[in-house]
Amino acid sequence: MHAAELTPAVLAELRRPRRFPAVSVLLPTHRSEPDNTQDPVRLRNLVAEAKNRLHADEAVSRADRLAVVEQLDRALTEVDLVHAEDGLVIYAAPGEHQVWSLPRPVPARVVVADTFLTRNLVSAYTAGAPYWVLTVAADRVALFSGTGTRLVEHTAGGFPLDQVGPDWDVERQERIGNVPSTFTDEETRRFLRSADTALATVLETDTRPLYVLGEAAALSLLDDVGTAAKRAADRVARGGLGHASAAAVAEAVRATVADQDRRSAAELQERLDQAQGVKGLAAGIDEVWRTVSEGRAAVVAVEEDYWQPVRVTDNHLVPAEVGEPDVREDMVDEIVERALDTGARVQFLPSGALAARAHIAAVLRY
């Protein structure tokens, strides 16, 4: 399996044109029994389909066919279905192959073209866009790096911060004559101010959405003594996470991150409505293709599982069937690639979310 992290640079490299034929094999996979028992059979069938298409395509030379078949066979030896996630993507072209395991479902497909089918990797990258989670307690502030539902503790930039101060015990209470409040204590204020300063430094070099978790008094004091945490996309008033594991923090923030994703989707729909109101919206694959080709698209929204083979006729896209002459198998993938190359933002929505707009739409720059 490919060990590289999905980054804009990796996606750009995967989008570059290849020498025909570039083969993409996509397989929905399963993490556990009994669903995963048929994954090896399905994979062999898809690879066999890819090889049959190479043999049947008269535009593929014998040397290139043998070269790609060899790369497919080498890719198969690297597939680890025992530790599968939700989707598997295999790329093979003369002289190269890659195997990607994705935490998102993919459709079962075989595509032969002069580029790899990258939209599913783009979707996985978009859904797994990194974010920060800050846990706040009186004696410890920790920072976690998140992608999708995964969290790992960030141990740089001064994190985690641990407060080394007096214990709030009975003897100390008797000495000062009252029960102290942890979050009004000056030492705690200084501690959280240091944490906010460290957070600001991290955010300056790696800006991403931030979620802050802690009991209400801790969150209030953090806002009072600093400014960095005020940038949070959301906050969760929940204590007991000061020394929690990454898995426990991930579970605590899961619903909040999901809510933010839903809000982001709703905001996108609102932006599409606003663009339509001022005639700044393209809808449908033909309109979106033309505006993206002209570099006029600022945002492209597309349904996760929408794909459409087409033929270009008189500078318009005409739906066609795979296997027909001059068919481009997945123009949606081409649109996504071109949009990214021209600086547009691409966002994927669930199936049916763009039904009124023919499954794909773009907000125009002009």
Side-chain angles (χ1 to χ4, degrees), residues 318-338:
V318 178
E321 296 294 330
V322 173
E324 293 181 0
D326 301 322
V327 167
R328 288 152 85 163
E329 288 199 35
D330 196 343
M331 181 56 76
V332 176
D333 191 65
E334 293 188 38
I335 289 171
V336 169
E337 292 177 352
R338 179 60 178 163

Side-chain angles (χ1 to χ4, degrees), residues 8-30:
V10 169
L11 291 170
E13 161 60 21
L14 288 172
R15 289 198 304 271
R16 69 173 175 81
R18 261 70 181 176
R19 189 169 93 242
F20 186 85
V23 176
S24 303
V25 177
L26 283 69
L27 172 73
T29 52
H30 305 85

Side-chain angles (χ1 to χ4, degrees), residues 85-329:
E85 296 181 276
D86 302 309
L88 177 72
V89 179
I90 294 176
Y91 297 133
E96 65 173 318
H97 70 275
Q98 292 189 24
V99 179
W100 290 88
S101 178
L102 303 180
R104 294 176 66 79
V106 301
R109 294 190 61 192
V110 173
V111 176
V112 181
D114 56 4
T115 60
F116 292 139
L117 184 69
T118 61
R119 59 178 295 184
N120 298 97
L121 269 67
V122 174
S123 175
Y125 172 76
T126 303
Y131 57 91
W132 295 115
V133 179
L134 188 78
T135 59
V136 185
D139 62 341
R140 183 178 174 86
V141 176
L143 186 64
F144 296 83
S145 174
T147 53
T149 59
R150 302 170 182 169
L151 283 186
V152 294
E153 187 167 2
H154 182 75
T155 56
F159 287 97
L161 287 81
D162 290 289
Q163 165 76 304
V164 180
D167 293 329
W168 299 117
D169 56 22
V170 175
E171 290 183 359
R172 185 172 189 277
Q173 293 176 26
E174 291 176 348
R175 288 198 303 271
I176 64 176
N178 68 342
V179 178
S181 172
T182 305
F183 294 106
T184 59
D185 180 80
E186 186 57 35
E187 291 181 8
T188 304
R189 293 178 65 87
R190 284 197 295 269
F191 172 62
L192 293 188
R193 188 179 297 117
S194 298
D196 190 82
T197 300
L199 176 64
T201 301
V202 171
L203 293 179
E204 284 176 6
T205 57
D206 192 346
T207 302
R208 30 171 125 167
L210 169 69
Y211 302 92
V212 181
L213 282 65
E215 61 178 282
L219 301 182
S220 177
L221 179 57
L222 188 63
D223 280 346
D224 187 45
V225 300
T227 59
K230 292 179 181 178
R231 309 179 202 176
D234 209 341
R235 55 193 65 210
V236 180
R238 175 171 171 175
L241 296 172
H243 296 268
S245 66
V249 176
E251 183 60 33
V253 80
R254 189 187 309 278
T256 303
V257 174
D259 286 343
Q260 181 62 33
D261 290 343
R262 285 190 285 270
R263 285 196 294 271
S264 178
E267 289 169 0
L268 176 60
Q269 292 282 17
E270 182 178 351
R271 185 171 181 183
L272 295 176
D273 290 339
Q274 292 172 346
Q276 185 172 1
V278 296
K279 297 183 179 179
L281 181 77
I285 191 169
D286 186 45
E287 283 189 22
V288 173
W289 172 64
R290 281 186 281 114
T291 56
V292 166
S293 299
E294 296 164 359
R296 296 173 55 208
V299 180
V300 174
V302 59
E303 292 181 5
E304 286 272 9
D305 58 355
Y306 175 56
W307 70 284
Q308 177 64 63
V310 298
R311 185 184 298 106
V312 181
T313 303
D314 296 330
N315 205 32
H316 287 278
L317 302 185
V318 178
E321 296 294 330
V322 173
E324 293 181 0
D326 301 322
V327 167
R328 288 152 85 163
E329 288 199 35

